[in-house]
Amino acid sequence: MSGHVFHPGHAELHGITVVVETLGDALYVGRYHEETPKGLLLHDVAEHRPDGDKLTRDEFIKRTLKFGVRAEHRNFVLPTDQVRRITKLVEWEQR
Amino acid sequence: MAYDPRMVQPMRDETVRLGARELTTVADVDAALGDQHGTTLVLVNSVCGCAAGGARPALAMALKHEHKPQDVVTVFAGVDPEATARARQYFSDYAPSSPSLALFRDGEVVHFVHRHQIEGRHPLEIAKDLKAAFDKYCAPSSV
């Protein structure tokens, strides 16, 4: 267990705001809850799709870092086989 | 979702003990944030142990720093929803998250700490960032 997660038995990323890059164009920012049989369960999720968003992916991340996660989905399940990479949002501040 | 008051009481007590004034009504919030002069820190408290369990100790450490806000207030997300919603209107450029912290100077938000900057971090790290913000915005020479 890293950091201060006070929910014993949960995944290391439980409660952490993460950036989920997918195998497609979509990118999601939300609070990691758990991996379920249906996929990755996230809470309070903002979504970036290059074809539907005026911001580039970098601009979207920068805005999110500065102003927070503008959640569009209270709960969101992303099939695990669509996930390319999961990183903590806070790590993007150093990029 | 409303939480059992008995469950959240220790978290309320912890924030009061570290020196924050509780704002539980819209009127409380408006009185504290409506016509500000000087520096005010707002803690949006949370029952979430993943993050608030780090935020409160961090704030306690930061408030022992040489420079600190003149006023420290707190609203409790999920417990006092109306007060929390009202407080968030004062920093509406920022997406709601809890816990979070907003530092005001003369009514303007000069520093904001989102939940994602709290969760998973050691309270010492969070406190270090808060102290840096206090040095920048709360020291007499910064005014």
Side-chain angles (χ1 to χ4, degrees), chain A residues 16-49:
Chain A
I16 303 292
T17 305
V18 295
V19 177
V20 182
E21 295 167 89
T22 67
L23 294 174
D25 290 335
L27 174 142
Y28 301 92
V29 182
R31 206 165 65 253
Y32 188 105
H33 187 74
E34 64 181 351
E35 190 174 331
T36 73
K38 290 183 178 177
L40 196 63
L41 173 58
L42 303 171
H43 294 312
D44 298 327
V45 177
E47 177 178 358
H48 178 265
R49 287 183 180 276

Side-chain angles (χ1 to χ4, degrees), chain A residues 2-7 14-18 31 64-71 88-90 93, chain B residues 47-54 92-96 112 114-123:
Chain A
S2 68
H4 282 250
V5 178
F6 295 95
H7 296 195
H14 174 78
I16 303 292
T17 305
V18 295
R31 206 165 65 253
T64 302
L65 285 167
K66 182 169 175 55
F67 294 108
V69 181
R70 295 277 175 200
K88 294 178 184 177
L89 174 60
V90 74
E93 284 186 335
Chain B
V47 297
C48 174
C50 305
S92 58
D93 285 347
Y94 298 86
F112 199 92
H114 298 279
R115 176 193 164 97
H116 74 258
Q117 294 166 306
I118 295 170
E119 58 198 11
R121 298 180 73 204
H122 194 285

Side-chain angles (χ1 to χ4, degrees), chain B:
Chain B
M1 178 174 64
Y3 292 97
D4 183 338
R6 292 168 299 179
M7 188 190 89
V8 301
Q9 193 59 48
M11 303 166 198
R12 285 190 183 281
D13 293 344
E14 185 180 353
T15 49
V16 170
R17 211 165 38 240
L18 63 85
R21 268 193 308 127
E22 277 193 298
L23 309 177
T24 60
T25 67
V26 169
D28 287 348
V29 172
D30 286 342
L33 303 181
D35 183 23
Q36 295 180 57
H37 302 282
T39 51
T40 302
L41 183 72
V42 182
L43 165 68
V44 181
N45 203 357
S46 164
V47 297
C48 174
C50 305
R56 289 187 296 265
L59 182 55
M61 285 184 246
L63 290 177
K64 291 177 182 161
H65 189 52
E66 178 186 3
H67 303 124
K68 57 188 176 187
Q70 292 163 310
D71 197 10
V72 181
V73 296
T74 180
V75 291
F76 210 141
V79 177
D80 297 315
E82 289 168 1
T84 303
R86 184 59 149 203
R88 284 176 169 152
Q89 288 178 1
Y90 285 90
F91 38 89
S92 58
D93 285 347
Y94 298 86
S97 70
S98 59
S100 58
L101 296 128
L103 178 61
F104 289 84
R105 188 167 68 184
D106 296 332
E108 180 189 350
V109 179
V110 289
H111 185 75
F112 199 92
V113 182
H114 298 279
R115 176 193 164 97
H116 74 258
Q117 294 166 306
I118 295 170
E119 58 198 11
R121 298 180 73 204
H122 194 285
L124 280 169
E125 293 177 87
I126 305 164
K128 184 180 172 189
D129 290 351
L130 280 172
K131 288 175 190 176
F134 294 170
D135 284 339
K136 185 171 181 181
Y137 299 110
C138 303
S141 59
S142 71
V143 179

